[in-house]
Each structure stands twice: as structure tokens, then as C-alpha cells.
Amino acid sequence: MELLSGREVEAMRRAGAVAAATLERVGRALRPGMRARDIDELVRVDTEARGARPAQLGYHGFPATVCVSIDDVACHGIPGDQVLEPGSVVSVDVTSELDGWHGDTCRTFVIGEPSAEARHVVEVARRCMEAGIAQVRHGARLGDVGYAVETLAKAEGCDVVRMVGGHGIGRKMHQAPHVDHFGTRGRGVRLREGMALTVEPIIVLGSPELTEDDDGWTLRTPDGSLAAQFEHTLLVTRRGAEILTLPATRAGAA
Ligand code: MF3
Ligand code: CO
Ligand code: CO
């Protein structure tokens, strides 16, 4: 597992800042009537304007610059002619590569006024990510992270997708370790200062199993129920997690 030097941490901060800024830009642009492919175009242009590369494009053949996952699509949605409607639950997952280093971040937005269900699944997903992040520090175990996420999700009447997890990140978008969003306290990989990884739980209201569309990417809930996901790229420090993908307007926020 990669441990970052001070200089490498600086490079990861810059990559994370790009991904965060692009996702923030998308968030400001979302509106009803927009198509998912408009988000793809925005991410392409905004990423290039920042001197970076959209790392998902071509990743194992993924055909777009960004994952856009709407309503019952849990993740890896391919942006196309889907129309964002009032009430749509839209996860946008941006991965940027800058100077060979990666930042990876996802937020779920609701277009217009959320239904009670949408509000609940989105808020629980955000809080689950935060609960996982709160466990990240030098010496903690990945099982502590997964336990915190899963426990909160279930306490709120939701469930956690098990087939998609977080990951180490650095020179590659996906590298060791794999980060489960469920687990047992005190078990699993021990976190070390200088590791970078993501926490990115997908929270569902119904069944946590997912089915794959014929496109080979899109993963959806089998019962059509809503899913929501949030993701940050984190640096493990002695004092806790440094969030590398905080948007500038929120830098320093918890
Ligand atoms: N950004 C996703 C993640 O958080 C990776 C998507 S891979 C893609 O791990 F190929 F679907 F883009
Ligand atoms: Co990720
Ligand atoms: Co991601």
C-alpha cells in the first residue's frame, strides 16, 4: 500500500481540489430539463480548463467523463439522453487526474423539491459517509470505518450496498486497499499516516443487491427503489482524515 511523501501529498491536494471544484461547478449548473450528457460535457470542459484529465473516460472502457446515476441507478450510470426532472435524485461522481495523481468525489443532488424518501436517503448517505470519515485516523482499522457506516444506515432504516466499495487512490484511481462500507470494529487493514483512500457508501431504501444493465456498467436497485452516494478522497493523518476533495467554498468546514 502506497504511503505518500510530503511532496506527493501536495500533488494529491491539487488533484483533489480539481475534482471538488468540478463537482461544485456541476452542482451549480443542475436544473430541470438538463440532460445527463450535458453534465458529461460540462465535466469534460471544466476538467480540461483546470489542466486535468477526466480519469473515468476510457477506464476499463467506460464511455464518459463522469458517472451520472439517476433515481434507482446506484452508481456507474452512463450519461446520455436521460432528462433531469423535478424530484430526480442524481448522483454525480467525478474523478480527475492532475499530473499523474487522482481525486475522486461524488455527491447526490435532488432536482427541485425532494420527496420525503429522497430527502431521507440522501441525508442518510451523506451522514454515513461522514460517520465513516470520522473513523479514519492513523492506527484505526478499516473495519471501524465499515462498522460506523453500516450501523448508521441500519439505524435509519436504510441499507448499504456491499458490491461496491471505496479504495486506495493515488497514482491510480483504484488501488489497494479495498474499503468495505460494512464490517467489524477492530478488524481489517490498519490505517497508516500517509495513506490516501476514499469513503463512498451507496445507501438504499430497499434491497442492497444491484443488477447490471446490458450496457455492462449501470448498476441499479432490483426493486426500483432510490439510492444515494457521497464520496470524498481522504488522507490518513495522526489527527484524523484530511479531506482532499472539499470544495474551496467549504475548505476548513467539517
Ligand atoms: N469514481 C468511481 C469510484 O468512485 C469509479 C467509477 S469507474 C468508471 O470508484 F469507470 F465507472 F468510471
Ligand atoms: Co471512488
Ligand atoms: Co468516485
Side-chain angles (χ1 to χ4, degrees):
M1 264 171 268
E2 193 171 27
L3 295 181
L4 301 174
S5 69
R7 185 184 297 261
E8 291 167 343
V9 165
E10 281 300 325
M12 282 292 286
R13 287 192 180 115
R14 287 191 290 270
V18 166
T22 299
L23 182 56
E24 185 79 355
R25 177 79 187 78
V26 169
R28 286 199 304 271
L30 293 178
R31 60 190 186 287
M34 199 171 173
R35 290 188 187 266
R37 73 161 60 85
D38 300 331
I39 301 174
D40 180 61
E41 181 61 18
L42 180 53
V43 169
R44 181 190 313 275
V45 169
D46 191 81
T47 302
E48 283 167 11
R50 296 175 194 283
R53 187 183 75 82
Q56 291 171 118
L57 182 63
Y59 183 81
H60 294 286
F62 188 75
T65 65
V66 58
C67 294
V68 179
S69 305
I70 303 175
D71 292 340
D72 60 320
V73 178
C75 65
H76 302 172
I78 300 171
D81 57 13
Q82 308 94 321
V83 177
L84 309 191
E85 319 258 15
S88 293
V89 175
V90 185
S91 299
V92 179
D93 190 336
V94 172
T95 314
S96 310
E97 180 189 337
L98 181 70
D99 300 332
W101 298 90
H102 292 81
D104 188 6
T105 184
C106 173
R107 284 164 65 183
T108 301
F109 304 91
V110 182
I111 306 300
E113 203 50 41
S115 67
E117 281 194 332
R119 193 188 304 274
H120 186 62
V121 73
V122 170
E123 274 314 302
V124 172
R126 185 201 309 278
R127 289 172 54 211
C128 282
M129 176 191 68
E130 288 167 353
I133 291 173
Q135 295 298 318
V136 172
R137 73 179 64 77
H138 178 82
R141 301 283 199 119
L142 281 180
D144 304 339
V145 174
Y147 177 84
V149 172
E150 181 183 18
T151 303
L152 178 56
K154 291 190 167 156
E156 292 291 350
C158 298
D159 214 334
V160 181
V161 167
R162 291 178 171 244
M163 64 184 281
V164 179
H167 48 89
I169 180 168
R171 294 179 201 272
K172 291 195 277 185
M173 174 167 67
H174 287 165
Q175 56 190 50
H178 179 78
V179 179
D180 281 328
H181 300 110
F182 56 90
T184 305
R185 280 184 287 186
R187 299 279 187 86
V189 168
R190 193 180 288 282
L191 299 178
R192 316 285 310 176
E193 183 179 25
M195 288 174 57
L197 51 86
T198 71
V199 170
E200 52 178 301
I202 301 171
I203 302 302
V204 294
L205 294 172
S207 167
E209 310 297 329
L210 300 178
T211 61
E212 188 180 279
D213 284 7
D214 290 341
D215 62 21
W217 284 104
T218 308
L219 292 173
R220 33 179 112 234
T221 61
D223 49 11
S225 63
L226 295 175
Q229 182 178 26
F230 286 81
E231 173 177 29
H232 272 310
T233 297
L234 310 168
L235 175 72
V236 179
T237 80
R238 291 195 171 268
R239 294 168 53 195
E242 177 183 333
I243 302 177
L244 300 177
T245 44
L246 276 185
T249 52
R250 291 173 54 218

